[in-house]
């Protein structure tokens, strides 16, 4: 997926429910276990990456997303949420991880972006401006590996994501609808200018066949990966930690993938 010494910036996208958050969390732990410094960014307003990484409910409840850090938004953007006015459109947000990320086990840092009303329409509100700046400048944030979990689709912060992230991991399940959306997302990621696009067929039931079925992928796909359907993941959800410590095929597949990337 990437050269071992290279900084890795991965956006994980795909249709709803295909396993984006699960895979983001598995990847985060596997990269951390390989000795990489990992920043996991939750870009989904539903904010379920924290519990999937294994944070206990009490800690999850205490997380304040970036979109609600009104003072920081005012400091960086020069305008308060809900008020508008003159705004700094490309603020320096390099300090955001130091100030607002949470420890998420295994040395992983977690940054929760939170929700922005009308993000899909690219509103020019201060929260949207701040979050897009964080994503656009992702290559300057600390961390060997940055993983961005997203809500279904790529639209919300499309252009900002494309500037900050060099790898798109498009996740699908073996269903026709999942594969069809994945095909559209691959195209969108390519059009946005993300240089490397990998197609990950998750919850695959027949080894080799489910990923091969994905004939919708065009020539610009850098690689196809298959992760098996794994009752062990469901049994331990929402956290992936026990799956990693047990003998779970899906976790094992992600572990081998990350080891190959890091070797
Ligand atoms: N390989 C797998 N085998 C079995 N179950 C899985 C696998 N991957 C994910 N799941 C299960 O699928 C469900 C959806 O996973 P997840 O929440 O990660 O999807 P998502 O794409 O992030 O969803 P959303 O679009 O709502 O954010 C969860 O119950 C999760 O445990
Ligand atoms: Mg999710």
């Amino acid at each position: 997926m990437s050269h071992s010494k290279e900084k890795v910036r991965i956006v994980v996208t795909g249709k709803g429910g295909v396993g984006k958050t699960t895979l983001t969390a598995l990847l985060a732990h596997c990269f951390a276990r390989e000795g990489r410094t990992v920043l996991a960014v939750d870009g989904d307003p539903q904010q379920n990456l924290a519990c999937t990484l294994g944070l206990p409910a009490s800690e999850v409840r205490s997380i304040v997303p970036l979109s609600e850090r009104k003072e920081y938004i005012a400091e960086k953007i020069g305008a308060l949420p809900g008020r508008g006015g003159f705004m700094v459109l490309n603020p320096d947000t390099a300090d955001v991880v130091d100030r607002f990320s949470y420890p998420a086990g295994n040395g992983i840092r977690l940054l929760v972006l939170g929700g922005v009303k009308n993000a899909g329409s690219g509103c020019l509100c201060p929260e949207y401006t701040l979050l897009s700046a964080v994503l656009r400048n992702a290559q300057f944030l600390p961390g060997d590996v940055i993983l961005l979990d997203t809500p279904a689709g790529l639209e919300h912060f499309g252009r900002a994501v494309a500037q900050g992230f060099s790898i798109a991991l498009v996740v699908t399940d073996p269903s026709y609808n999942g594969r069809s959306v994945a095909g559209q997302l691959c195209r969108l990621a390519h059009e946005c200018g993300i240089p490397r696009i990998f197609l990950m067929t998750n919850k695959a039931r027949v080894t080799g066949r489910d990923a091969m079925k994905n004939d919708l992928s065009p020539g610009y796909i850098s690689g196809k990966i298959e992760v098996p359907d794994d009752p062990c993941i469901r049994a331990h959800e929402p956290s992936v930690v026990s799956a990693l410590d047990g003998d779970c095929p899906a976790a094992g597949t992600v572990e081998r993938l990350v080891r190959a990337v890091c070797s």
Side-chain angles (χ1 to χ4, degrees), residues 13-20 23 170-182 199-205 210-211 213-214 216 227 229:
T13 182
K15 185 176 160 293
V18 292
K20 300 178 292 295
L23 291 166
V170 178
V171 182
T172 180
D173 57 19
S175 71
Y176 177 82
N177 283 344
R179 290 182 286 130
S180 160
V181 171
L199 188 62
M200 184 173 258
T201 304
N202 188 29
K203 309 189 195 186
R205 288 181 185 271
D210 283 334
K213 266 204 301 196
N214 227 322
L216 296 155
V227 177
D229 186 69

Side-chain angles (χ1 to χ4, degrees), residues 139-203:
Q139 68 263 41
F140 305 118
L141 293 177
D144 302 328
V145 178
I146 299 185
L147 296 155
L148 171 66
D149 182 28
T150 62
L154 247 189
E155 299 80 4
H156 306 273
F157 290 100
R159 255 178 265 143
V161 168
Q163 282 172 44
F165 291 78
S166 51
I167 297 175
L169 191 61
V170 178
V171 182
T172 180
D173 57 19
S175 71
Y176 177 82
N177 283 344
R179 290 182 286 130
S180 160
V181 171
Q184 291 164 28
L185 288 171
C186 288
R187 205 169 310 123
L188 191 57
H190 180 67
E191 282 166 11
C192 282
I194 298 181
R196 277 181 294 168
I197 301 165
F198 291 85
L199 188 62
M200 184 173 258
T201 304
N202 188 29
K203 309 189 195 186

Side-chain angles (χ1 to χ4, degrees), residues 24-38:
T24 304
L26 284 172
L27 285 164
H29 279 288
C30 291
F31 273 114
R33 287 175 179 204
E34 287 297 310
R36 300 305 172 101
T37 53
V38 177

